[in-house]
Amino acid sequence: MGLHWGTESLRTLMPEDMWLRIQSVQVDPSTPTAAKDAIQFLNGQTGELMTSVPANNFYRLRRRKLRALLAKGLDIRYGVRLDKIKYSEDGKSATASFHNGPSITASLVVGTDGARSTTREILLGPDQGSIRTLPYCATFVQARFTADQALFLRSFHPLYLASINPAGYFAFFGLHDLPDPEQPETWTFFFYISWHSPLDEQEATANWSNAQRLQQVKEFSKEFTDPWKSAFNWLPDDQEVWYMSLTDFDPGAEGHRWDNKGGRVTLAGDAAHAMTYQRGQGLNHSVTDARKLATAIGDFYSGRKTRAEAIRLYEEEMIARAGGEVRMSTTNTEMVHDWQKVLKSPIMTKGMTKVPDNQAKN
């Protein structure tokens, strides 16, 4: 995951000794984060540099390692599934009940259960609360290569590289894990190709096998220059891949405003604002939610604000900020898959900076 403008929010949520370990959860723990860097966007067919997007203090974090670091000292109960939420008559608490675990009563329930959030569907109903499937798909790969192949692939950039292909594809290539800098054969790379895929096509291919998905993306890769062309070509016939539709959920859209029951239930992260990833904004908004929500909880816990007021203000800021980004990111996804529009896309014109909501209403 990419963390850039959201870095300060994450840092304020972590004890200093924990923040000092942030380097250990990066894809390459052996190389300090560069104060100034850029993600290069190439023409996927020719390799020509299209633009360099500033990526200063850009942390490339491994999800699993970051989660393990942040979980230290927390009471996390895995393997349970939310069933329903009930609210006390006195207006002071909410009780979350689970299919396969004990109920928990608290002053505030926060749904942070991802893009396909059960909490969101409980609050809004299955229709308004469901994720929206977009007419775009992607196939992802994580793979290791021989030492010589790994050195060749990493020679294009030590951490990350993006490309936009005139044939209508977008692609990313990056390092996923570097356990030993001296043994390139142990390095894991992460790469994908995304493309426009109408919903009827997605439905028609929903049951495709891993082998079919691999063959499909290998065919797409023939339209690319290196490193994508070689990386896909070198994959074995049994390589595991991950195919998925692109989706979004805009909390600012009509019918998407949930009742927070006087500040007793709310949403954050992907549960509140699932967005596409070609502009690299999801993690930054999620950790900003956490910081803003922590402030809101402090406000009502200390008595500076009522709980209803504190959570209302949190939601208003979050919906304006992240809802705008959902719309901006979806627009960006549409444009980077259309060669006639790509140069006007947000990633080309605004980079990865946080975009004010009034600029995201296209």
Side-chain angles (χ1 to χ4, degrees):
M1 300 182 292
L3 182 69
H4 33 95
W5 62 260
T7 298
E8 188 57 30
S9 288
L10 181 60
R11 186 168 186 171
T12 64
L13 293 166
M14 301 169 69
E16 185 60 24
D17 62 332
M18 182 180 288
W19 174 256
L20 292 175
R21 297 175 58 195
I22 196 71
Q23 185 65 35
S24 70
V25 301
Q26 296 214 70
V27 297
D28 180 6
S30 66
T31 303
T33 299
K36 292 186 179 296
D37 202 351
I39 297 181
Q40 296 180 353
F41 281 73
L42 307 183
N43 179 314
Q45 288 184 349
T46 67
E48 177 186 3
L49 179 65
M50 297 177 65
T51 189
S52 288
V53 174
N56 302 334
N57 295 307
F58 185 26
Y59 292 85
R60 288 294 296 169
L61 304 172
R62 287 195 62 197
R63 183 189 300 269
R64 183 178 300 176
K65 284 188 173 183
L66 177 63
R67 184 171 57 227
L69 177 63
L70 296 176
K72 298 293 185 183
L74 301 182
D75 178 17
I76 300 177
R77 306 175 191 184
Y78 293 100
V80 298
R81 186 159 60 92
L82 183 65
D83 180 28
K84 57 187 175 182
I85 303 173
K86 291 186 176 180
Y87 306 93
S88 64
E89 293 185 0
D90 62 8
K92 294 182 178 179
S93 65
T95 299
S97 300
F98 301 88
H99 279 299
N100 46 349
S103 298
I104 298 176
T105 298
S107 60
L108 174 64
V109 173
V110 184
T112 61
D113 45 343
R116 300 181 185 277
S117 169
T118 299
T119 313
R120 188 177 66 230
E121 292 199 13
I122 289 174
L123 295 180
L124 292 172
D127 293 330
Q128 294 291 354
S130 63
I131 200 80
R132 180 176 69 153
T133 301
L134 302 173
Y136 298 90
C137 290
T139 294
F140 292 75
V141 180
Q142 291 180 13
R144 292 181 178 179
F145 298 91
T146 68
D148 287 344
Q149 289 171 344
L151 288 169
F152 170 76
L153 294 173
R154 202 180 181 203
S155 68
F156 291 88
H157 193 282
L159 285 175
Y160 35 66
L161 194 65
S163 76
I164 301 171
N165 195 305
Y169 304 121
F170 182 92
F172 189 87
F173 190 90
L175 187 67
H176 177 72
D177 185 32
L178 190 147
D180 187 341
E182 303 303 320
Q183 296 186 351
E185 66 275 13
T186 67
W187 303 347
T188 301
F189 294 88
F190 152 82
F191 45 104
Y192 75 82
I193 295 175
S194 58
W195 67 98
H196 178 260
S197 178
L199 299 185
D200 57 352
E201 177 183 277
Q202 295 183 38
E203 183 177 357
T205 64
N207 295 319
W208 274 20
S209 66
N210 185 84
Q212 287 174 298
R213 291 297 180 201
L214 175 61
Q215 182 58 39
Q216 180 187 42
V217 76
K218 279 193 168 189
E219 285 298 317
F220 294 159
S221 72
K222 293 177 181 178
E223 296 281 351
F224 281 82
T225 187
D226 283 325
W228 292 274
K229 185 175 182 178
S230 292
F232 279 101
N233 184 53
W234 289 335
L235 294 176
D237 290 340
D238 61 350
Q239 173 69 44
E240 185 177 11
V241 300
W242 292 269
Y243 162 86
M244 63 198 71
S245 304
L246 272 67
T247 57
D248 71 5
F249 179 85
D250 177 5
E254 184 177 355
H256 285 183
R257 190 67 175 89
W258 57 88
D259 179 359
N260 65 34
K261 303 295 182 180
R264 287 180 287 172
V265 61
T266 194
L267 299 172
D270 285 353
H273 45 70
M275 60 188 69
T276 58
Y277 39 78
Q278 280 87 5
R279 225 174 72 83
Q281 298 292 310
L283 177 62
N284 298 275
H285 280 281
S286 293
V287 297
T288 301
D289 291 352
R291 181 182 185 180
K292 300 283 188 179
L293 187 56
T295 299
I297 292 170
D299 283 345
F300 76 71
Y301 185 77
S302 66
R304 291 189 294 270
K305 292 183 175 70
T306 65
R307 177 173 47 193
E309 181 185 17
I311 297 305
R312 175 182 61 81
L313 292 173
Y314 154 74
E315 290 180 345
E316 288 177 355
E317 187 281 334
M318 178 270 289
I319 290 171
R321 167 178 46 80
E325 184 57 58
V326 171
R327 296 187 287 278
M328 177 65 77
S329 290
T330 297
T331 296
N332 184 73
T333 292
E334 294 167 352
M335 296 180 78
V336 298
H337 293 92
D338 184 339
W339 190 249
Q340 301 305 314
K341 298 179 180 179
V342 67
L343 293 180
K344 296 181 180 179
S345 65
I347 191 65
M348 291 293 181
T349 60
K350 298 177 175 66
M352 296 189 298
T353 57
K354 182 171 62 173
V355 176
D357 181 55
N358 60 10
Q359 295 184 31
K361 297 176 180 178
N362 294 317

